[in-house]
């Protein structure tokens, strides 16, 4: 069964500090991995998408890494800001059998709190 | 573009009542998805449509749940009768193509008493 495990479940850090969120998956065959940011009371918004051949991708202060061999991904946030407080969800696609839309496995997310 | 629009944003109802959630996808997107999110289970795909046709409804928990997409700009998710365990946030998302980025709406927070 395809699974996506995220750690930690929650994290509190001080503004300006860096942090790293982890995502381990057992999805096979692997197609791509996405990190979403979900602010409280809003829908998820895509931060990055990585395919098998990519091992690093940045989006501003967010840097995602992917190790397809160990089936691990991380999301590193540099110089955190109060607006980074949100849940971060890892989603892995196996393309599925129905054109891919049904091949998504979602992690339960990491709840990040940035304190001033 | 206004993004994906959902209504209502909040719904409180009593057990046994019918609930209808509404979604307007982004214009030009040919895929529409309905998700449910709870603390315990995270995000779960309920059903998705391609060009208004339901493709996979294997995530729909029970026959009490039904979804329709009468045209490219409107979809509904109906729960009849509703139960307290249906309490969750329901998201609608749309994408261009099966592999395109999914854009999520703001969600409908449903509380069934």
């Amino acid at each position: 069964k395809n699974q996506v495990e995220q750690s930690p479940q929650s994290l509190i850090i001080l503004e300006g500090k860096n942090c790293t969120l982890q995502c381990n998956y057992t999805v096979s065959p692997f197609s791509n991995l996405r990190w979403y940011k979900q602010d409280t009371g809003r829908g998820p918004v895509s931060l990055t998408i990585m395919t098998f051949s990519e091992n690093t991708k940045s989006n501003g202060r967010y840097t995602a890494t992917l190790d397809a061999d160990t089936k691990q991904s991380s999301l590193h946030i540099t110089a955190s800001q109060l607006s980074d407080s949100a849940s971060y969800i890892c989603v892995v696609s196996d393309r599925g059998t129905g054109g891919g839309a049904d091949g998504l496995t979602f992690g339960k997310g990491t709840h990040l709190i940035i304190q001033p | 573009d206004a993004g994906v629009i959902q209504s209502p944003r909040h719904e409180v109802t009593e057990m046994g009542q019918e609930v209808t959630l509404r979604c307007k996808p982004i214009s030009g997107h040919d895929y529409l998805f309905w998700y449910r999110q709870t603390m315990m289970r995270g995000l779960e795909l309920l059903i998705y449509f391609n060009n208004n046709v339901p493709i996979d409804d294997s995530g729909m928990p029970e026959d009490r749940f039904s979804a329709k997409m009468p045209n490219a700009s409107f979809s509904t998710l109906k729960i009849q009768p509703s139960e307290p365990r249906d309490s969750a946030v329901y998201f609608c998302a749309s994408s261009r193509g099966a592999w395109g980025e999914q854009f999520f709406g703001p969600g409908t927070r449903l509380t069934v008493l």
Side-chain angles (χ1 to χ4, degrees):
Chain A
K1 180 182 175 182
N2 290 338
Q3 287 188 315
V4 174
E5 299 290 338
Q6 292 189 243
S7 61
Q9 275 191 313
S10 61
L11 180 63
I12 302 174
I13 64 171
L14 292 176
E15 184 180 12
K17 298 296 186 182
N18 303 335
C19 67
T20 300
L21 314 180
Q22 299 290 342
C23 173
N24 296 340
Y25 61 93
T26 58
V27 175
S28 181
F30 174 84
S31 174
N32 60 64
L33 183 148
R34 236 185 246 281
W35 282 95
Y36 282 88
K37 179 187 179 188
Q38 184 176 18
D39 292 317
T40 301
R42 308 190 72 169
V45 175
S46 180
L47 291 174
T48 66
I49 179 171
M50 303 181 72
T51 59
F52 185 88
S53 59
E54 299 173 300
N55 53 31
T56 302
K57 182 168 281 189
S58 292
N59 178 356
R61 295 178 297 101
Y62 300 101
T63 299
T65 65
L66 174 66
D67 186 334
D69 291 331
T70 62
K71 299 187 177 181
Q72 296 180 327
S73 176
S74 65
L75 181 69
H76 186 74
I77 304 175
T78 304
S80 61
Q81 301 176 358
L82 297 179
S83 59
D84 294 330
S85 294
S87 287
Y88 292 84
I89 302 171
C90 176
V91 184
V92 183
S93 172
D94 66 1
R95 286 195 169 251
T97 58
D102 58 342
L104 300 178
T105 304
F106 290 79
K108 293 184 179 178
T110 292
H111 186 52
L112 176 64
I113 298 173
I114 311 297
Q115 288 187 337
Chain B
D1 197 324
V4 176
I5 299 173
Q6 290 186 247
S7 65
R9 292 295 311 275
H10 302 274
E11 177 79 37
V12 180
T13 189
E14 292 187 345
M15 182 174 62
Q17 297 298 306
E18 177 180 294
V19 175
T20 299
L21 312 182
R22 298 172 176 79
C23 174
K24 176 178 169 56
I26 293 173
S27 177
H29 283 189
D30 56 345
Y31 278 80
L32 183 140
F33 309 82
W34 281 101
Y35 290 92
R36 178 171 66 177
Q37 185 177 43
T38 61
M39 289 291 291
M40 288 296 294
R41 301 171 70 92
L43 268 169
E44 301 173 283
L45 177 64
L46 300 177
I47 184 172
Y48 73 94
F49 296 81
N50 175 218
N51 291 324
N52 314 337
V53 177
I55 302 301
D56 185 354
D57 65 354
S58 59
M60 297 284 261
E62 299 173 33
D63 291 344
R64 298 184 296 106
F65 286 69
S66 63
K68 294 181 179 179
M69 193 166 185
N71 57 63
S73 59
F74 184 66
S75 176
T76 59
L77 177 67
K78 184 177 294 186
I79 308 173
Q80 166 64 19
S82 58
E83 296 182 3
R85 59 194 168 118
D86 301 332
S87 297
V89 181
Y90 291 81
F91 288 102
C92 174
S94 69
S95 69
R96 190 188 305 274
W99 314 115
E101 177 183 349
Q102 293 186 24
F103 291 83
F104 285 75
T108 294
R109 180 173 295 277
L110 173 65
T111 302
V112 183
L113 303 175

